[in-house]
Amino acid sequence: VSSAPASVADEARAILARLGVPESAFASGGRPALSPITGEVIAHVRETTPEEAKAAIGRADAAFKAWRKVPAPKRGEFIRLLGEELRTAKDDLGRLVTLEAGKIVSEGLGEVQEMIDICDFAVGLSRQLYGLTIATERADHRMMETWHPLGVCGVISAFNFPVAVWSWNAALALVCGDSVVWKPSEKTLLTALATHAIVERAAKRFGGVPEGLCEVLLGGREIGEILVEDHRVPVLSATGSTAMGRQVGPKLAERFARAILELGGNNAAIVAPSADLDLALRGIAFAAMGTAGQRCTTLRRLFVHESVYDQLVPRLVKVYGSVKIGDPRAEGTLVGPLIDKAAFDNMERALDEARAAGGKVHGGGRYTDVANEGVYARPALVEMPSQTGPVMRETFAPILYVMRYSDFDDVIALHNAVGAGLSSSIFTLNLREAEAFVSVAGSDCGIANVNIGPSGAEIGGAFGGEKETGGGRESGSDAWKAYMRRATNTINYGSTLPLAQGVKFDV
Ligand code: UN1
């Protein structure tokens, strides 16, 4: 006799207890934390008051002043322990991502793996915060660059990567010697609490970190604004919509704080005449329907060459019709719920606009074969006569607009004709096209791929995009430099004082 499966709320609460989230984090009058799987309330979370938020920033500022003096490789040891704790907690935290954000099981686990990966990267980085030595024009002088910790790093993250985005910023910021104040999405408070409990465990094993080194502010927009406006926060990384970035960016600029903006995407793929269509089909399906279309890197526009359109698009339509939608915990599900009803309403609105613009919609609409309040959508593939109307903007839902093209230069121009500039890809076996796409005159995005879709980047590369995507870079490569300040040092070890540019000033 098997016992009845635990409800989402029961399972989530058991995980929170196992991960060590204290009871004091919850309060009956607090903000409800919902599961998009069933729409049920999992818990009521005690929110941070504005006074508490300011005090937390103050603690983080004080923590920074101590942490910056800890040698960087020792700071790396803290992140190594965090990576270990995340490995231990991977199943629980990944499951909680599924329960709170609605991702399918392998994507929930994948998100935690991305956290582990960035910890590994940051541990190595902690011994590689290199500056240059530069040739100087003056005799008996040396010129060099030194990278110093910057201060409190604010992190504002979105519901769709509720924990990984924090880690891409925090793992780097912490080895760089900064402290971190995190304002997670108000839709994913539980995974934030769980992550914080894991951080505290790593801190204890490390032998203690300065109080306030990692703070979490739980609440709505007003709490995020406190972080944006506080002059004790010299660098802020914000992930979310372009509309959010338009508010946050100018406020940071006004006080000359550094902004790492990771905003909307309107990512496209081109399928060229020579493309391996089987491979393209799989790449497109994952990039367009994975995470129910709720990645900033989700594929939203597809340009198919007229010579292969009739081979590829009917096959894609078939895949759209047969993809398994439903409870993300169930084996075989590929498309879980949308985060809430508002997301579904936005999807419906975009599809109406697409129809009005002459689009032919396959799929779409509410998927109702679920016995609860979760909001599930059928992914939509829309054949569009041209790139107009809703195609020009990001709708955070599983809609793929498909268009024909005939000329390579024209399709590159169309590809680049939208506001966002995050990710892009081309499916082609033609070397000239592939190279042209990633060249100076090709894709204008921060990420440009060949024969893989635009989503699912690994952490080793710098992640982010241009134009209305905001220009910030997180994760790998030299993204760490945004979390530090650079000093140029010139040292005179001689007994004369030669001036640069040959200037004479004899007193
Ligand atoms: C996001 O959706 O905010 O490249 C980030 C990807 C993931 C990150 C997505 N590694 O799809």
Side-chain angles (χ1 to χ4, degrees), residues 164-423:
V165 170
W166 168 81
S167 72
W168 304 335
N169 288 284
L172 297 192
L174 288 165
V175 300
C176 287
D178 299 344
S179 54
V180 178
V181 180
W182 179 20
K183 198 304 216 173
S185 164
E186 61 270 34
K187 294 173 189 170
T188 50
L189 301 176
L190 301 177
T191 42
L193 283 168
T195 300
H196 192 62
I198 293 166
V199 170
E200 293 203 315
R201 215 152 29 246
K204 196 178 267 169
R205 278 181 64 196
F206 181 71
V209 296
E211 195 210 340
L213 186 68
C214 296
E215 293 280 348
V216 185
L217 313 179
L218 303 175
R221 183 198 164 109
E222 45 330 312
I223 292 296
E225 273 167 10
I226 290 172
L227 198 52
V228 171
E229 279 162 17
D230 197 305
H231 68 276
R232 294 168 297 181
V233 181
V235 54
L236 186 124
S237 167
T239 300
S241 67
T242 293
M244 179 274 282
R246 273 193 222 286
Q247 312 235 312
V248 167
K251 284 189 180 156
L252 293 172
E254 201 175 353
R255 61 179 185 85
F256 298 102
R258 228 179 264 173
I260 303 172
L261 297 179
E262 217 276 89
L263 311 175
N266 190 357
N267 317 297
I270 295 169
V271 181
S274 64
D276 175 336
L277 294 183
D278 291 336
L279 183 142
L281 186 87
R282 289 207 310 279
I284 293 163
F286 169 65
M289 294 190 286
T291 330
Q294 300 172 112
R295 286 194 192 214
C296 56
T297 49
T298 290
L299 175 61
R300 308 198 181 280
R301 299 178 294 139
L302 183 68
F303 298 101
V304 184
H305 192 267
E306 57 187 4
S307 64
V308 289
Y309 192 98
D310 294 334
Q311 291 171 61
L312 179 69
V313 177
R315 282 179 70 190
L316 262 176
V317 169
K318 217 178 202 172
V319 169
Y320 266 69
S322 63
V323 70
K324 192 155 177 253
I325 306 162
D327 191 322
R329 296 169 299 174
E331 202 168 319
T333 299
L334 293 179
V335 178
L338 293 178
I339 191 68
D340 54 24
K341 178 72 169 37
F344 179 75
D345 293 343
N346 285 337
M347 179 172 177
E348 289 278 280
R349 206 168 307 129
L351 291 179
D352 284 345
E353 282 177 53
R355 278 187 201 97
K360 183 172 172 204
V361 178
H362 306 269
R366 186 110 176 226
Y367 175 83
T368 49
D369 200 9
V370 281
N372 55 51
E373 301 298 304
V375 180
Y376 294 76
R378 292 180 195 280
L381 183 153
V382 187
E383 293 183 81
M384 289 295 289
S386 64
Q387 180 164 262
T388 51
V391 188
M392 298 302 288
R393 64 168 196 265
E394 174 186 56
T395 299
F396 223 58
I399 304 177
L400 178 64
Y401 301 106
V402 184
M403 290 153 283
R404 278 174 204 268
Y405 82 93
S406 52
D407 177 75
F408 186 76
D409 291 338
D410 289 349
V411 81
I412 294 291
L414 283 169
H415 176 278
N416 292 344
V418 296
L422 179 55
S423 190

